[in-house]
Amino acid sequence: MIPELGLFSLIIALGFSLAMSVILLSGAMAGNHFWISFSKNLALGLFGFLSISLIALMLSFVGDDFSVAYVANNSNSKLPMPLKVSATWAGHEGSLLLWVWILGGWICSVALFGAQLSEVFKARVLGILGMVATAFILFTVLTSNPFERLLVNIPLDGGDLNPLLQDVGLIFHPPLLYMGYVGFAVAYAFAIAALLSGDLQHNWTRWVRPWTNCAWAFLTLGIMLGSWWAYYELGWGGWWFWDPVENASFMPWLAGTALIHSLAVTEKREAFRSWTLLLAILTFSLSLLGTFLVRSGVLTSVHSFAADPERGLFILLILGLAIGGAFILFAFKAPASKKVTYELGSRESFLLFNNLVLMVILVSVLMGTLYPLVIDALGLGKMSVGGPFFNSFFVPLTIVLTILVGLGQTTKWRKTNWRNLRTPLIVVFTSCVVLSAAIIWLANLTFSIWAMLGIGVSLWVVGLSGYEFVTTKLKHASGWKALVSLKPSYIGMQLAHLGLVVGVIGVTMVSLNGLSVDKRMDVGETVSLGQLEFQFMSMDRVQGPNYISDQGTFRVTNEAGKELHMLAEKRSYSVGGQVMTEAGIDASFTRDLFVALGEPLGDGAWAVRLQYKPFIRWIWGGGILMALGAVIAALDKRYRKSTTSQGIHV
């Protein structure tokens, strides 16, 4: 009965979302406050029944109900309990249910914490979100029912969870990623509501900023966690592979980054109004595009969920209605350009340049991702676009972007006195060059222009941030008083920019100074990697809960004679027979040591991959700092103050 309860609750949730879209949008259009008064109850009902549906699916996994087809295909009676719970979203049907449940959570949050908005405007926002929920719940019920029963051939123990997903990463990565994907629906709904209302002043941007920041933070954490998961689980030792599905999550992140900065300009200076609306639509549109790519079958990837063209057509229809309708509305209702004066060297200009660079990166990633699909669809053959193409534009443009970040936070709104900035800029630039060379020399790193640029632009941002803090924040207060007086928005901005710096340093170090070797190794053999010695000590057979593992023990000795032991595994899963690599990793603040077993080569020998990864943890640490900065900025009280613009309180 539990699966039937889950399906019934999902259908009721569909009724709530449909009622929300019809009643609230009609009420807002007619100014009917009685209809609008149902907004909170409709949102709570939608989220409540979606929660019942998701819990019912979880209970089916926990109870090993293999009469449910989705459970039978994605679980096994021997799975550890945490993996049984997270297997709820391991496949297409369950992950889509998680997607709509998270959307219901965002809708409920807007209904509960949107007291600053007028009833009419909030009704429009919730009505638009209700339309999005209706489309995806309908898609789930009609094409992707996770509660479908098996009438014959019910397995006793289940078909097992994909070994790639039998990891703690499955517990956190998809929910965090979807929180970001779906969270941008709020910014999308605000933009459409503003266009429908005809109130296109800058005030609405103030209240939507914290929602956008939080969605961006969740997406950042989801991408970082996915990168870390791939690093240790796939056995390759890489942190980013430019996989098409990785790109599908990266593109809305780029657009969301541009949106955050554009919102700041619109709120403070009333500039970029049309551009901000367009970015809000574009960011969520790219989230929907990612959903289409992952679930339509047009991509073959370790990340993709489904390969059903009919489902792809359904999502493509949703995509066309959501994006096409929004852009048509924008074409007719976009605000006329408002004359806002600012000079070329002002903060507005640098934020505009920042957005342009982000858009160039975005378009390049989009072309590199979709071009092979277009070539294949036209019957012109198959091709792939890999790392060399993406790195050829991403690396130099990221350096340009980082330089702009330093200048943008140092300049002033409207007009900057460059005479006063000339000396500090020269001092900071000279210091960056000298310190970059010194760091490379003292750390015995490989010298290259890219190493100088990577370290140099990072120091550039830090140096200019320090100068800006001293000349503005310490101007009227000193010491502890200056720190206490800092606003969360300022702290968040600086922390996010620091995260960018930390990430750039990590990427620079691991890309230019990492070491790797693939060797045939016999038990007892020693291989050198830089100043490290790796000795293959032993190979043992280990029994796991649902797998048998060949476990290799390696002893690593550094130049000082200190030793450590690392374990690397090759697991064979009993149900499906899949073989998976579990790398051995020894992590520290400044480096990772990485050992992965390849294939057995006979006579006790194995193919072994040994890697030294300097500062690789800084990549993920930088992402965490950026996400934390976005959340702190969202806590600024001024985003929750009520201001009135034509009856709309934001």
Side-chain angles (χ1 to χ4, degrees):
M1 286 297 294
I2 290 179
E4 283 70 29
L5 174 63
L7 180 58
F8 184 61
S9 299
L10 188 60
I11 294 173
I12 294 177
L14 175 61
F16 269 94
S17 66
L18 184 61
M20 177 181 291
S21 57
V22 174
I23 293 174
L24 297 187
L25 287 177
S26 299
M29 184 180 299
N32 190 318
H33 292 278
F34 177 70
W35 291 357
I36 291 173
S37 66
F38 289 103
S39 60
K40 184 179 294 185
N41 291 334
L42 287 171
L44 289 171
L46 171 63
F47 184 59
F49 280 103
L50 286 174
S51 297
I52 293 172
S53 185
L54 184 65
I55 291 172
L57 187 59
M58 284 185 180
L59 292 176
S60 298
F61 273 91
V62 171
D64 293 332
D65 188 352
F66 299 124
S67 67
V68 178
Y70 179 69
V71 178
N73 293 330
N74 294 279
S75 186
N76 186 269
S77 58
K78 295 180 181 180
L79 272 180
M81 186 57 66
L83 290 180
K84 285 186 179 181
V85 174
S86 58
T88 303
W89 49 78
H92 166 71
E93 292 85 355
S95 67
L96 193 59
L97 181 58
L98 176 68
W99 202 100
V100 296
W101 177 78
I102 288 174
L103 178 59
W106 281 105
I107 292 172
C108 193
S109 298
V110 172
L112 293 176
F113 303 112
Q116 295 89 342
L117 296 167
S118 74
E119 289 185 347
V120 174
F121 190 76
K122 185 165 71 171
R124 284 196 178 94
V125 172
L126 291 174
I128 294 160
L129 289 171
M131 292 178 67
V132 176
T134 298
F136 277 94
I137 297 174
L138 190 64
F139 173 52
T140 306
V141 172
L142 295 181
T143 71
S144 310
N145 177 16
F147 301 102
E148 183 179 349
R149 291 280 195 177
L150 289 174
L151 300 179
V152 295
N153 300 324
I154 299 174
L156 295 177
D157 293 311
D160 206 6
L161 178 65
N162 187 332
L164 276 173
L165 303 179
Q166 294 188 29
D167 187 89
V168 67
L170 179 64
I171 301 175
F172 302 105
H173 171 57
L176 285 173
L177 202 65
Y178 293 170
M179 284 291 288
Y181 270 153
V182 182
F184 284 125
V186 177
Y188 170 86
F190 265 82
I192 300 301
L195 288 168
L196 288 174
S197 69
D199 188 321
L200 298 167
Q201 301 301 315
H202 71 288
N203 288 333
W204 72 272
T205 62
R206 175 177 294 179
W207 199 79
V208 78
R209 284 185 71 182
W211 296 96
T212 306
N213 280 10
C214 288
W216 184 85
F218 279 119
L219 185 58
T220 302
L221 290 176
I223 292 173
M224 289 298 103
L225 183 57
S227 168
W228 174 65
W229 187 5
Y231 165 67
Y232 73 81
E233 178 64 24
L234 296 179
W236 301 337
W239 56 276
W240 193 261
F241 303 99
W242 293 108
D243 181 278
V245 181
E246 288 178 329
N247 295 346
S249 64
F250 188 46
M251 287 186 289
W253 185 88
L254 290 168
T257 305
L259 175 60
I260 288 173
H261 292 86
S262 186
L263 281 168
V265 181
T266 304
E267 184 212 342
K268 290 181 178 293
R269 295 280 292 124
E270 299 189 42
F272 302 178
R273 289 191 298 165
S274 295
W275 179 238
T276 300
L277 287 165
L278 191 61
L279 281 175
I281 296 170
L282 177 63
T283 302
F284 184 58
S285 299
L286 289 169
S287 296
L288 294 180
L289 177 63
T291 302
F292 168 73
L293 292 175
V294 172
R295 301 174 189 277
S296 63
V298 300
L299 291 179
T300 302
S301 166
V302 296
H303 302 86
S304 58
F305 279 111
D308 189 340
E310 292 184 3
R311 290 173 177 171
L313 288 175
F314 200 116
I315 299 177
L316 194 60
L317 177 62
I318 297 174
L319 192 67
L321 291 174
I323 299 176
F327 282 120
I328 291 173
L329 182 63
F330 177 83
F332 285 99
K333 303 275 286 186
S337 299
K338 181 176 181 180
K339 188 175 181 180
V340 179
T341 59
Y342 54 88
E343 293 187 355
L344 183 62
S346 64
R347 180 171 294 188
E348 292 95 329
S349 294
F350 282 106
L351 288 173
L352 177 61
F353 299 151
N354 169 295
N355 273 7
L356 290 176
V357 173
L358 286 169
M359 288 301 100
V360 171
I361 296 174
L362 171 58
V363 171
S364 301
V365 174
L366 182 65
M367 291 177 58
T369 304
L370 297 184
Y371 182 69
L373 303 180
V374 174
I375 292 296
D376 187 24
L378 295 176
L380 300 177
K382 293 186 178 293
M383 65 171 295
S384 61
V385 178
F389 167 78
F390 291 105
N391 290 332
S392 64
F393 66 82
F394 181 75
V395 173
L397 286 177
T398 300
I399 291 173
V400 172
L401 185 66
T402 309
I403 294 172
L404 292 174
V405 167
L407 290 172
Q409 64 187 4
T410 309
T411 51
K412 305 297 182 184
W413 295 108
R414 185 184 297 179
K415 182 179 180 179
T416 299
N417 189 335
W418 285 94
R419 286 186 178 180
N420 294 338
L421 275 181
R422 185 183 304 162
T423 300
L425 289 176
I426 293 174
V427 170
V428 172
F429 176 78
T430 305
S431 301
C432 291
V433 174
V434 174
L435 288 174
S436 299
I439 290 171
I440 293 173
W441 179 66
L442 292 173
N444 197 26
L445 303 175
T446 303
F447 181 85
S448 71
I449 186 62
W450 293 114
M452 285 286 293
L453 286 171
I455 298 173
V457 296
S458 301
L459 295 174
W460 169 263
V461 174
V462 174
L464 290 181
S465 297
Y467 169 78
E468 193 271 341
F469 175 75
V470 170
T471 56
T472 60
K473 304 306 176 183
L474 294 182
K475 188 175 182 179
H476 303 292
S478 60
W480 178 250
K481 290 183 179 180
L483 294 176
V484 172
S485 66
L486 295 177
K487 294 179 180 179
S489 58
Y490 178 83
I491 297 173
M493 177 191 72
Q494 295 295 352
L495 197 59
H497 290 168
L498 178 62
L500 173 65
V501 167
V502 171
V504 169
I505 291 175
V507 172
T508 301
M509 291 297 191
V510 75
S511 300
L512 300 177
N513 296 280
L515 300 175
S516 179
V517 63
D518 294 317
K519 282 282 189 178
R520 171 193 172 102
M521 293 187 71
D522 294 292
V523 174
E525 186 176 352
T526 300
V527 172
S528 297
L529 184 66
Q531 296 179 326
L532 301 169
E533 298 285 341
F534 289 80
Q535 185 177 11
F536 193 174
M537 300 294 293
S538 64
M539 177 63 71
D540 303 297
R541 180 61 61 94
V542 177
Q543 178 67 55
N546 60 339
Y547 62 83
I548 298 176
S549 170
D550 289 312
Q551 186 180 86
T553 302
F554 293 80
R555 182 171 64 193
V556 186
T557 308
N558 65 12
E559 69 278 8
K562 292 184 178 180
E563 296 182 354
L564 60 92
H565 288 80
M566 301 174 64
L567 300 176
E569 297 182 57
K570 202 74 172 180
R571 295 178 178 177
S572 177
Y573 287 82
S574 53
V575 176
Q578 300 100 322
V579 178
M580 289 297 301
T581 298
E582 293 291 325
I585 301 174
D586 183 77
S588 72
F589 185 69
T590 58
R591 63 98 182 105
D592 273 18
L593 302 181
F594 185 98
V595 179
L597 292 175
E599 299 299 321
L601 302 178
D603 299 326
W606 285 77
V608 179
R609 171 168 292 177
L610 308 173
Q611 294 186 332
Y612 167 75
K613 298 285 188 179
F615 292 90
I616 191 169
R617 301 273 155 172
W618 286 41
I619 299 173
W620 305 307
I624 293 172
L625 287 175
M626 285 191 284
L628 182 60
V631 172
I632 291 175
L635 298 177
D636 199 310
K637 291 182 180 179
R638 68 190 180 89
Y639 296 146
R640 298 188 294 276
K641 289 181 179 179
S642 295
T643 59
T644 306
S645 174
Q646 299 179 9
I648 295 178
H649 300 277
V650 293

